[in-house]
Amino acid sequence: MIERVFILKRTPIFRDVADEILASLVRYLEEDHVESGHVIFERGDVGKSMYVIASGRVRLHNGETEAAVLNAYDVFGELSVLTSEVRALTATAAQDTALLRLDQDIFYELMAGNPAISRSIIEVLVERLR
């Protein structure tokens, strides 16, 4: 549990959230282990979860066109989890990867009860739009 709190504290979305709140959040996280080359989600899938990379690397792409390569402590899928829209890109493990998955219903509860999470989400979205 302490390791998961540490991982969340290193992400842009959760870095300003109190440790006590993160400690209660970690029990809702699902841990996924993905082998290199495995598709995590496809472009066009409906997004109901966001992911934090605990270790490894994830490639975001549209076919062969690469949009980004993400590393440990990066977050992805947060746009779709907010709106339940389809995924804009495919996410593929670029190496063996451990992910922490947060599902939409829990995420909404956290945002409603913690303005710091909402503020952090807005900051991350603005940064990505720039």
Side-chain angles (χ1 to χ4, degrees):
M1 184 169 106
I2 293 170
E3 181 181 347
R4 286 182 176 190
V5 170
F6 174 77
I7 291 168
L8 293 180
K9 282 301 259 191
R10 305 257 333 246
T11 68
I13 291 175
F14 297 110
R15 75 172 151 237
D16 295 328
V17 177
D19 290 350
E20 310 82 56
I21 294 169
L22 293 179
S24 64
L25 161 67
V26 296
R27 68 177 180 226
Y28 298 107
L29 296 173
E30 296 293 329
E31 193 165 336
D32 297 330
H33 294 277
V34 185
E35 293 182 12
S36 182
H38 179 77
V39 173
I40 300 159
F41 56 74
E42 294 271 358
R43 180 176 193 256
D45 289 349
V46 175
K48 295 284 187 180
S49 301
M50 64 176 277
Y51 300 85
V52 175
I53 303 173
S55 65
R57 299 180 94 185
V58 172
R59 190 173 151 256
L60 299 178
H61 57 97
N62 182 6
E64 295 301 315
T65 304
E66 190 169 277
V69 176
L70 305 176
N71 299 296
Y73 315 120
D74 284 332
V75 176
F76 64 100
E78 73 282 356
L79 292 174
S80 293
V81 80
L82 286 171
T83 62
S84 297
E85 291 185 14
V86 296
R87 306 280 189 185
L89 298 168
T90 297
T92 303
Q95 60 186 212
D96 290 353
T97 300
L99 299 170
L100 300 176
R101 179 173 40 89
L102 181 61
D103 294 329
Q104 186 179 56
D105 54 343
I106 301 298
F107 188 69
Y108 281 162
E109 285 179 35
L110 287 168
M111 284 180 47
N114 190 323
I117 292 176
S118 298
R119 202 170 33 253
S120 294
I121 286 287
I122 291 167
E123 289 171 3
V124 168
L125 295 178
V126 168
E127 183 65 29
R128 291 208 179 161
L129 288 173
R130 286 185 181 158

